[in-house]
Amino acid sequence: MAVENHWALSAGWTLIVGSSLDYLRKFEGPSTSRINPLAGLKFSPRENWEAHLSFSRKSRFPSMRSLYSPSSGNPGLLSESGNLWELGATWTGPVFLSGAVFFNHFDDMIESVRLPDGSRRFYNVGKASIDGLEIQLRKSLKTQEAMISYTYLHHRNQTENRPLDALPRHNLSIELSFSPVRRLNWTIFGLLVSSSSWYDLAGQSLLPISGYGDFETVLSFSLPRFDIFLKVSNILNKAYFTEPGFPCRGRTLELGFKADILGKS
């Protein structure tokens, strides 16, 4: 349950205030409820750009799998809560440009660890933080669209004084889309990720995860209530890991279709 309201303070200024109530009833262990306030200030001096400052408190309850899975569940898992600050701006002109800096601090962050026998176990990190910035640039034309985005993260498991698992510091993504003829669309995706680390519980040490680049492309043709697509993943056929010991797939070719059987789209 949530409520939110917007007040126009003066020309270009808007105050946003709200709150939500979240409730979790467990089969095992105590039930939990959380009240999460939010507040924000938005400044829009012109129609094509705006800036905002916001604060919110967020809760994330454990999933059914993280609580009761026979292999990885933890019925004693606590709900996660966090304080989130963000300062950002957007501008719409010949291109669309947006950017934001954020400061997120969490209590009882829900994470998982791989045990020596290879299984996972969900647990709570007492204190954690994820701060950073993100920038996006997008340009749209009649038959083409290009987007590039960059994210920088500074993160920490403050309880154990180490980085959070498998979170790269730098992340650059690119998307190019072309529609040379009606109903035909060709999209190219690119992702460049810096190195990260993973905590090895058995060896009590950080295992490095190398940075990688991944590219894929999708060619699709649309008909009324029917789409045909050809997808090639990991075009360069590079070996990379997002978690030690679990390699991602090599070059993969997929041919398929999607049908709107009920005719609702």
Side-chain angles (χ1 to χ4, degrees):
M1 182 176 66
V3 293
E4 183 178 313
N5 203 359
H6 295 218
W7 287 276
L9 301 180
S10 61
W13 291 92
T14 302
L15 177 65
I16 304 166
V17 176
S19 184
S20 66
L21 172 63
D22 301 325
Y23 178 78
L24 174 68
R25 182 179 179 183
K26 292 183 178 181
F27 294 113
E28 298 180 31
S31 299
T32 305
S33 62
R34 299 278 188 179
I35 297 177
N36 298 312
L38 66 90
L41 188 62
K42 184 170 69 174
F43 178 55
S44 304
R46 297 180 181 177
E47 290 186 359
N48 66 333
W49 82 274
E50 69 173 40
H52 68 270
L53 172 65
S54 65
F55 165 80
S56 62
R57 183 167 178 82
K58 297 292 185 181
S59 297
R60 180 164 72 103
F61 291 144
S63 66
M64 293 295 289
R65 173 172 173 257
S66 64
L67 285 170
Y68 305 117
S69 168
S71 61
S72 58
N74 178 2
L77 205 60
L78 303 174
S79 61
E80 175 186 308
S81 62
N83 294 324
L84 287 64
W85 290 91
E86 180 175 295
L87 174 64
T90 62
W91 177 73
T92 304
V95 298
F96 173 82
L97 178 64
S98 67
V101 293
F102 51 87
F103 306 91
N104 302 331
H105 295 263
F106 302 94
D107 294 316
D108 299 318
M109 187 178 194
I110 299 173
E111 284 278 77
S112 66
V113 64
R114 189 166 295 281
L115 301 176
D117 63 2
S119 63
R120 284 185 179 276
R121 176 75 171 178
F122 287 93
Y123 74 107
N124 291 109
V125 177
K127 298 285 185 180
S129 63
I130 303 177
D131 306 326
L133 65 88
E134 53 189 6
I135 302 171
Q136 183 185 101
L137 177 67
R138 187 170 71 243
K139 174 67 175 179
S140 298
L141 299 174
K142 186 176 181 180
T143 59
Q144 301 93 31
E145 183 171 344
M147 186 272 292
I148 182 170
S149 61
Y150 168 76
T151 303
Y152 167 81
L153 296 178
H154 180 270
H155 51 85
R156 202 76 186 163
N157 178 334
Q158 297 172 342
T159 300
E160 300 176 19
N161 193 29
R162 61 176 178 84
L164 292 168
D165 288 337
L167 278 182
R169 190 174 291 266
H170 305 279
N171 188 313
L172 178 69
S173 63
I174 301 169
E175 181 177 336
L176 304 173
S177 183
F178 308 91
S179 296
V181 296
R182 186 171 177 263
R183 299 186 182 277
L184 183 67
N185 188 73
W186 179 31
T187 305
I188 301 171
F189 303 93
L191 178 65
L192 299 175
V193 175
S194 66
S195 60
S196 58
S197 61
W198 183 275
Y199 186 70
D200 177 28
L201 187 63
Q204 301 288 302
S205 62
L206 288 176
L207 299 179
I209 303 174
S210 300
Y212 62 90
D214 185 30
F215 297 89
E216 67 178 47
T217 184
V218 178
L219 183 66
S220 62
F221 186 76
S222 299
L223 296 169
R225 299 174 57 180
F226 194 84
D227 291 344
I228 303 171
F229 67 88
L230 174 66
K231 179 179 179 180
V232 183
S233 303
N234 195 356
I235 295 174
L236 302 180
N237 200 30
K238 294 289 188 179
Y240 67 93
F241 298 78
T242 57
E243 178 184 339
F246 294 85
C248 292
R249 294 187 302 176
R251 185 184 297 118
T252 305
L253 178 67
E254 300 175 58
L255 177 64
F257 67 90
K258 296 186 294 184
D260 181 14
I261 299 175
L262 300 179
K264 293 184 177 180
S265 63

